[in-house]
Amino acid sequence: YSFSDRPAMDAFLIPGGFGTRQEMRNGRLHEFIHELPESTLLTSVCTGSWIYGVMGLLDGLPATNRKEPDRVESGPNGKVPIDRLADIAPACRISRARVVDAGRVVTAGGIASGMEMGFHLLRRAGYPDDLIGEVARVMEYSAAWELYRDDVEAAVSA
């Protein structure tokens, strides 16, 4: 799909990565997101939350981002992504949880936290933990699922 197709969707995901720096200024993307129905879930992994932050969509909400710096971010002129999120979205309440569910907006920390966000969304949709555990097992993610399954901040009852 392209922006002009305006597909119906239950959720929209912005992944992290170096490209988010450019997309923070992408007016067409911002317009597309603003035009999504309120029923569309807005999700992000890692630095993807910066885009929602610059758009003002995290104002008054808790959100998270990656907490460990890469080589450049740990240098003298670098900044850890979660601290940069605080600069980008000063009205956002920064959370150190791996997944933050603020209702319509759900953010995940680093790359692997995106897995926990997926499991959380299954749980939020009503799937039982034994089914989610089986999905984690098949994905060879059981140990991490058991360790991180409750590292979720829910700002609303899901």
Side-chain angles (χ1 to χ4, degrees):
Y1 293 106
S2 73
F3 290 138
S4 61
D5 291 322
R6 300 282 189 233
M9 59 183 77
D10 296 324
F12 184 76
L13 169 70
I14 299 179
F18 194 75
T20 56
R21 288 143 182 87
Q22 177 179 331
E23 298 306 316
M24 286 172 37
R25 297 180 301 278
N26 183 338
R28 289 187 65 210
L29 173 62
H30 299 192
E31 178 185 332
F32 177 81
I33 293 168
H34 278 300
E35 291 177 358
L36 289 170
E38 284 295 314
S39 60
T40 302
L41 188 64
L42 302 177
T43 66
S44 67
V45 175
C46 194
T47 57
S49 65
W50 292 355
I51 296 168
Y52 294 141
V54 80
M55 293 175 64
L57 296 174
L58 301 179
D59 290 357
L61 299 177
T64 194
N65 205 300
R66 182 166 49 85
K67 297 147 205 74
E68 295 295 330
D70 65 19
R71 192 184 56 190
V72 173
E73 294 160 346
S74 61
N77 296 320
K79 187 172 272 194
V80 178
I82 197 166
D83 296 334
R84 191 167 308 281
L85 176 62
D87 292 345
I88 291 168
C92 171
R93 184 175 59 75
I94 303 300
S95 171
R96 297 197 61 82
R98 290 177 67 85
V99 176
V100 176
D101 185 336
R104 182 180 188 211
V105 180
V106 181
T107 56
I111 296 164
S113 300
M115 300 290 285
E116 283 93 47
M117 179 176 69
F119 295 140
H120 170 71
L121 293 174
L122 288 172
R123 186 187 269 174
R124 178 173 153 166
Y127 290 95
D129 278 357
D130 60 337
L131 177 116
I132 298 168
E134 178 62 9
V135 171
R137 184 194 66 76
V138 169
M139 295 172 64
E140 299 181 354
Y141 204 77
S142 293
W145 164 242
E146 290 301 321
L147 184 61
Y148 298 123
R149 68 195 285 162
D150 294 320
D151 193 356
V152 176
E153 177 180 332
V156 295
S157 58

